[in-house]
């Protein structure tokens, strides 16, 4: 027993040491071009932290993507959205590298994937090859860069994950990016954090004026305050060779020379990434599209990013005392901006209370909440809200307003509609929609039972029932019915749906399944003739496209082809 315990302790101590001593020359850059970034690790995105580096590919696709180190392909994931085509390499030192938004894989990997896509008759697929199936050497070609999935332009998304699949900052491993530019400060904000606190004669959030100094630092206008207060900062970074406004690497806060909070972007887990909505001032972001990072840790915030936290990063300002608060914003290269904020403790008793929009509906974060009227119902599970909240809920005749998207949700809430008054035929075409700009209905995944439809959502807003009776549209883009297309490398059609959205598609030639890649950003389905499936001269093409309520359309055409 003692020997087993010793082995276990040795294993864990070795693992901890290995993680602490990060290999600085093990991973190589995944592209054979100068590295210029469009996105940094930990960058603040919608509802999540960015988990890697977005590397520019010179505004084009097809650059060679190479293995950052020796290992084997441990996972292949192809999806319409998200990472698009993504490749995961497992390395002998326990780390995993990820390469996403790829155009295609290297020939061996591409053949491995295509075989299984055809066997399963599906484009979207997730595969987990065995360790010996697809080995790779360092600097070996593994894929070609692209723009698949949720990519907003050609680039390579690159990650390094630890043994627990937590993404880590690749710059910690020696992946260097030229950067001689200091971060940019977009704004400084101060927050009263309890009912008694006030800042500059107000109990509301305050924007603080900053004056730039010759040395590149800033001095804030003096603040008078009392009680528990905190600060927030809006800042971005720019690397050399790119105008992109990326995330910073680290923010430090000091009070009278003592560190009270450090926020470095080194590593996080996917399980905690949505708690970004507690790090930022979500309400301010939803109204102004600018993210303020709060330099204090609110109740229930479990983020592991924080270091050196004293008193949750809060400042307790007392009457008649003076304080010096300092913020240092740094990029990974060490370029830094410093902000100094003088604070004078002043107790004031004539300040009006903070505005609070009270309603008939009050939801507690640690308790479930439910409400219903007019055949519509709302259920908010425990833990969906980050804090106790008065909810603005209005039940209309045919729609329900479920608060506003100025408040973040961590878990799905359920919105239900009684559909007993509709016929069976009408129910088939009904779906639950969130009303967007101009009251346009946007499909929300709808679960149908006999007389009750429900949807799960993490977005507050207005919801209603909508009907879609129009099938999707299908039309060819690089051929016509009855045409010879021997010189074509691909077969392309466009598909679209005006309301509930595309759910599925299927294509055959002469009754045999053919693989078509769906690029939702331009509504295109593409078949590559190099798959070798189309071998006849005369070919009957059939494509069936179905929307989210079951409306279906079929496109049929004849084309002729003879390989040269």
């Amino acid at each position: 027993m003692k020997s087993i315990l010793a082995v276990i302790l040795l294993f864990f101590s070795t693992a901890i040491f290995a993680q602490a001593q990060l290999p600085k020359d093990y991973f190589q850059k995944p592209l054979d071009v100068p590295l210029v970034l469009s996105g940094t690790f930990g960058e603040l995105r919608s509802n999540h932290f960015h988990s890697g580096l977005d590397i520019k590919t010179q505004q084009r696709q097809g650059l060679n993507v190479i293995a950052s180190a020796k290992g084997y392909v441990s996972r292949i994931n192809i999806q319409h959205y998200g990472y698009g085509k993504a490749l995961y390499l497992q390395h002998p030192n326990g780390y995993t590298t990820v390469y996403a938004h790829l155009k295609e894989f290297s020939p061996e990997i591409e053949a491995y994937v295509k075989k299984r896509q055809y066997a399963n008759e599906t484009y979207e697929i997730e595969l987990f090859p065995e360790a010996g199936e697809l080995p790779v050497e360092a600097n070996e070609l593994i894929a070609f860069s692209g723009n698949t999935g949720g990519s907003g332009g050609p680039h390579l998304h690159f990650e390094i994950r630890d043994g627990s699949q937590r993404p880590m900052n690749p710059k910690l491993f020696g992946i260097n990016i030229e950067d001689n530019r200091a971060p940019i400060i977009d704004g400084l904000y101060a927050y009263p954090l309890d009912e008694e606190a006030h800042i500059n004669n107000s109990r509301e959030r305050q924007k603080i004026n900053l004056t730039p100094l010759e040395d590149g630092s800033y001095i804030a206008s003096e603040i008078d305050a009392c009680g528990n207060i905190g600060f927030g900062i809006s800042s971005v970074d720019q690397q050399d060779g790119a105008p992109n406004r990326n995330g910073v690497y680290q923010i430090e806060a000091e009070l009278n020379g003592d560190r009270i909070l450090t926020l470095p972007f080194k590593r996080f887990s996917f399980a905690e990434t949505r708690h970004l909505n507690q790090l930022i001032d979500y309400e301010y972001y939803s109204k102004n599209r600018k993210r303020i990072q709060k330099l204090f840790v609110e109740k229930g915030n479990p983020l592991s990013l924080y270091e050196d936290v004293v008193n949750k990063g809060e400042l307790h300002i007392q009457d008649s005392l003076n304080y010096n608060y300092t913020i240092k914003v740094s990029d990974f290269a060490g370029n830094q901006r410093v902000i100094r904020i003088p604070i004078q403790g002043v107790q004031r008793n004539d300040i009006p209370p903070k505005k609070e929009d009270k309603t008939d509906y009050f939801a507690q974060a640690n308790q479930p909440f439910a409400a219903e009227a007019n055949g519509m119902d709302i259920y908010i599970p425990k833990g969906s809200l980050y804090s106790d909240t008065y909810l603005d809920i209005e039940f209309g005749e045919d729609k329900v307003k479920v608060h506003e998207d100025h408040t973040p949700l961590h878990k799905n809430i359920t919105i239900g509609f009684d559909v007993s008054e509709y016929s069976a035929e009408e129910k088939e075409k009904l779906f639950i929609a969130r009303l967007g700009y101009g009251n346009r209905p946007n499909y929300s995944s709808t679960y149908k039972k006999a007389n009750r439809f429900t949807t799960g959502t993490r977005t507050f807003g207005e919801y209603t029932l909508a009907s879609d009776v129009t099938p999707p549209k299908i039309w060819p883009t690089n051929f016509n019915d009855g045409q010879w297309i021997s010189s074509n490398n691909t077969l392309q059609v466009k598909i679209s749906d005006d309301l509930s959205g595309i759910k599925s598609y299927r294509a055959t030639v002469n009754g045999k399944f053919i693989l078509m890649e769906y690029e939702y950003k331009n509504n295109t389905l593409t078949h590559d003739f190099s798959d070798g499936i189309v071998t006849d001269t005369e070919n009957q093409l059939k494509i069936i496209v179905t929307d989210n309520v079951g409306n279906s359309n079929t496109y049929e055409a004849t084309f002729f082809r003879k390989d040269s």
Side-chain angles (χ1 to χ4, degrees):
M1 179 63 72
K2 289 183 178 180
S3 61
I4 294 174
L5 180 60
V7 170
I8 293 173
L9 290 173
L10 177 61
F11 172 81
F12 279 107
S13 62
T14 302
I16 292 170
F17 177 80
Q19 293 291 338
Q21 303 296 319
L22 299 181
K24 294 296 180 65
D25 56 359
Y26 188 88
F27 295 107
Q28 307 302 310
K29 64 180 185 177
L31 292 172
D32 192 20
V33 296
L35 299 191
V36 179
L37 299 185
S38 59
T40 52
F41 180 84
E43 195 168 284
L44 310 179
R45 302 283 179 90
S46 293
N47 301 309
H48 70 283
F49 298 105
H50 189 233
S51 56
L53 301 179
D54 282 346
I55 305 172
K56 289 176 175 284
T57 55
Q58 303 173 342
Q59 299 182 339
R60 56 196 174 107
Q61 302 184 48
L63 272 63
N64 289 351
V65 178
I66 56 178
S68 189
K70 179 180 180 179
Y72 66 89
V73 178
S74 58
R75 180 185 176 196
I76 304 166
N77 195 20
I78 298 177
Q79 52 188 335
H80 295 140
Y81 310 103
Y83 281 7
K85 294 185 179 182
L87 200 60
Y88 299 71
L89 302 186
Q90 182 65 47
H91 302 285
N93 64 352
Y95 292 95
T96 301
T97 52
V98 183
Y99 313 76
H101 305 307
L102 304 170
K103 180 180 181 181
E104 59 184 308
F105 306 111
S106 65
E108 181 183 2
I109 300 173
E110 189 78 11
Y112 177 94
V113 173
K114 285 282 180 72
K115 179 180 178 180
R116 285 149 183 84
Q117 286 176 313
Y118 273 99
N120 290 277
E121 296 191 355
T122 181
Y123 170 68
E124 291 191 301
I125 196 167
E126 186 173 20
L127 304 169
F128 297 91
E130 296 293 331
E133 285 189 273
L134 295 171
V136 297
E137 295 294 327
N139 297 317
E140 179 181 336
L141 175 70
I142 55 173
F144 300 92
S145 67
N147 188 32
T148 56
S151 171
H155 73 279
L156 175 68
H157 174 88
F158 175 68
E159 297 179 18
I160 298 178
R161 298 183 182 180
D162 68 11
S164 299
Q165 290 299 300
R166 294 175 297 182
M168 299 185 67
N169 195 329
K171 293 181 180 180
L172 294 169
F173 296 84
I175 304 294
N176 294 318
I177 311 294
E178 287 295 322
D179 186 0
N180 294 288
R181 305 165 72 177
I184 298 169
I185 307 301
D186 279 339
L188 175 68
Y189 304 81
Y191 294 79
L193 298 180
D194 58 39
E195 293 181 358
E196 304 302 320
H198 53 81
I199 300 168
N200 291 346
N201 300 317
S202 174
R203 300 192 193 278
E204 307 288 341
R205 175 187 57 230
Q206 297 290 301
K207 184 172 183 179
I208 308 302
N209 292 327
L210 295 174
T211 300
L213 303 179
E214 290 185 2
D215 62 358
S217 65
Y218 292 85
I219 183 72
S221 56
E222 186 176 78
I223 297 169
D224 72 60
C226 201
N228 289 325
I229 70 171
F231 286 87
I233 189 166
S234 175
S235 60
V236 296
D237 189 40
Q238 290 183 310
Q239 286 85 41
D240 294 2
N244 302 74
R245 293 165 65 85
N246 303 134
V248 302
Y249 171 64
Q250 182 169 275
I251 304 175
E252 303 165 85
E254 296 179 354
L255 181 63
N256 297 331
D258 294 326
R259 184 79 50 84
I260 62 170
L261 182 141
T262 304
L263 181 59
F265 290 97
K266 298 177 182 177
R267 172 171 55 193
F268 62 86
S269 71
F270 288 109
E272 65 180 330
T273 189
R274 193 174 177 89
H275 286 284
L276 168 140
N277 290 329
Q278 288 181 279
L279 169 66
I280 67 170
D281 185 333
Y282 187 92
E283 179 185 19
Y284 187 90
Y285 169 71
S286 68
K287 295 177 179 179
N288 301 282
R289 313 315 293 175
K290 179 189 287 188
R291 293 183 176 94
I292 301 171
Q293 299 178 65
K294 292 181 286 191
L295 303 182
F296 51 93
V297 184
E298 293 179 302
K299 181 181 178 181
N301 181 347
L303 283 173
S304 62
L305 293 166
Y306 301 105
E307 297 178 0
D308 309 322
V309 179
V310 177
N311 193 35
K312 299 181 292 185
E314 298 178 0
L315 288 66
H316 181 65
I317 306 302
Q318 299 182 50
D319 186 33
S320 302
L321 295 181
N322 293 326
Y323 303 82
N324 290 301
Y325 184 74
T326 304
I327 302 172
K328 298 177 182 177
V329 183
S330 308
D331 60 28
F332 193 85
N335 303 302
Q336 188 177 86
R337 294 287 187 198
V338 177
I339 305 172
R340 295 178 177 85
I341 305 114
I343 304 169
Q344 182 179 10
V346 178
Q347 176 66 56
R348 300 185 187 276
N349 301 313
D350 55 350
I351 300 174
K354 183 176 181 180
K355 296 178 183 178
E356 187 171 30
D357 296 325
K358 294 186 177 182
T359 70
D360 294 336
Y361 301 96
F362 183 70
Q364 295 176 280
N366 63 352
Q367 296 292 331
F369 169 89
E372 61 179 317
N374 301 345
M376 294 167 279
D377 57 82
I378 303 162
Y379 177 72
I380 303 178
K382 172 184 176 180
S384 295
L385 292 163
Y386 294 114
S387 60
D388 298 348
T389 306
Y390 282 100
L391 299 175
D392 183 9
I393 296 175
E394 297 177 12
F395 290 97
E397 292 185 5
D398 59 358
K399 66 180 180 180
V400 57
K401 177 184 179 182
V402 191
H403 203 52
E404 297 179 6
D405 191 25
H406 301 328
T407 301
L409 283 166
H410 192 71
K411 297 180 182 178
N412 272 355
I413 67 172
T414 300
I415 301 170
F417 287 81
D418 181 350
V419 294
S420 59
E421 294 183 356
Y422 292 89
S423 68
E425 293 75 15
E426 289 172 325
K427 290 177 186 176
E428 285 185 3
K429 305 306 179 184
L430 281 178
F431 64 94
I432 297 175
R434 181 174 184 267
L435 296 177
Y437 181 76
N439 282 328
R440 174 176 172 78
N442 297 306
Y443 178 81
S444 185
S445 295
T446 304
Y447 304 92
K448 299 183 177 183
K449 291 188 176 180
N451 290 318
R452 184 170 180 264
F453 289 2
T454 61
T455 187
T457 179
R458 288 195 285 189
T459 305
F460 282 128
E462 287 189 298
Y463 289 82
T464 189
L465 287 173
S467 178
D468 183 1
V469 297
T470 305
K473 295 179 181 179
I474 312 169
W475 66 100
T477 59
N478 70 342
F479 70 99
N480 293 309
D481 185 20
Q483 184 179 3
W484 280 86
I485 55 172
S486 300
S487 61
N488 282 23
N489 294 320
T490 62
L491 190 73
Q492 290 188 341
V493 300
K494 294 270 191 179
I495 62 175
S496 69
D497 188 76
D498 69 335
L499 196 53
S500 64
I502 303 293
K503 180 180 181 181
S504 64
Y505 60 90
R506 178 179 171 81
T508 59
V509 169
N510 302 329
K512 292 190 298 184
F513 170 83
I514 62 168
L515 186 67
M516 298 199 85
E517 298 189 7
Y518 178 39
E519 177 48 78
Y520 76 94
K521 294 190 289 291
N522 59 17
N523 301 314
T524 301
L525 289 177
T526 302
H527 172 71
D528 196 323
F529 285 123
S530 67
D531 287 0
I533 303 301
V534 179
T535 57
D536 295 338
T537 300
E538 182 176 345
N539 299 279
Q540 305 298 319
L541 171 67
K542 183 177 182 180
I543 301 175
I544 302 172
V545 181
T546 306
D547 66 20
N548 278 300
V549 297
N551 296 308
S552 173
N553 194 8
T554 301
Y555 173 81
E556 294 185 88
T558 300
F559 66 87
F560 299 90
R561 179 175 173 81
K562 183 176 290 185
D563 290 331
S564 57

